[in-house]
Amino acid sequence: VAPSRGASQVASLLFPIVFLVVWYRIAKSLLSRDEKFSPSSRSHSSRKETTTFADVVSHRSKVELAEIVDYLNRPQRYMQAGARLPRGALLVGPSGTGKTLLARAVAGEANCCFLSASASEFVEVYVGRGAARIR
């Protein structure tokens, strides 16, 4: 049995429409996934509780970071002595040793905001959006 001419025309019109709808949905899902992981679109929830040195166990770390906290609280005293503003502090160690907790404690003791950024977010600033699209 040969297909009728009307069914053939409907199929020839329906196939491109179905193809375009499927292509549109795939493109939309890819774009929404890319936006979901971008740092600018992520909502930064402000933490209400502050971490202090009382939450940190290591006495040695507290002593070494106390000078940074003192500088953040009283920068005039250090500037009068000729000290320059530090660009930052690098906390090095294996994962799970409390580097982020120490950074939160320094920010809490100095009454400053703590902004967290993962390494991939930091690299995106210099590399661009291409690295985020690859992942």
Side-chain angles (χ1 to χ4, degrees), residues 30 33-34 36-39 42 118-135:
L30 288 175
R33 182 172 34 154
D34 191 35
K36 189 186 317 178
F37 293 113
S38 72
R42 191 174 68 196
S118 68
S120 61
E121 292 173 355
F122 186 72
V123 168
E124 275 181 23
V125 171
Y126 297 104
V127 176
R129 296 294 302 155
R133 288 191 183 119
I134 292 172
R135 278 180 255 135

Side-chain angles (χ1 to χ4, degrees), residues 8-101:
S8 173
Q9 288 178 343
V10 168
S12 67
L13 288 175
L14 193 60
F15 178 72
I17 292 173
V18 169
F19 176 76
L20 288 175
V21 167
V22 170
W23 182 79
Y24 174 76
R25 296 193 113 196
I26 290 172
K28 188 175 177 181
S29 72
L30 288 175
L31 286 175
S32 67
R33 182 172 34 154
D34 191 35
E35 291 171 359
K36 189 186 317 178
F37 293 113
S38 72
S40 61
S41 68
R42 191 174 68 196
S43 64
H44 294 284
S45 61
S46 60
R47 271 180 89 137
K48 298 297 180 192
E49 70 273 358
T50 58
T51 306
T52 61
F53 282 150
D55 301 325
V56 180
V57 176
S58 173
H59 177 70
R60 179 178 173 210
S61 301
K62 291 181 201 179
V63 170
E64 291 183 15
L65 293 173
E67 188 174 346
I68 294 175
V69 172
D70 188 42
Y71 180 82
L72 290 172
N73 285 330
R74 296 181 290 181
Q76 315 83 309
R77 177 177 157 201
Y78 289 89
M79 286 183 188
Q80 287 175 352
R84 293 187 320 176
L85 178 69
R87 299 281 181 188
L90 185 63
L91 301 175
V92 180
S95 61
T97 56
K99 297 179 295 291
T100 305
L101 180 64

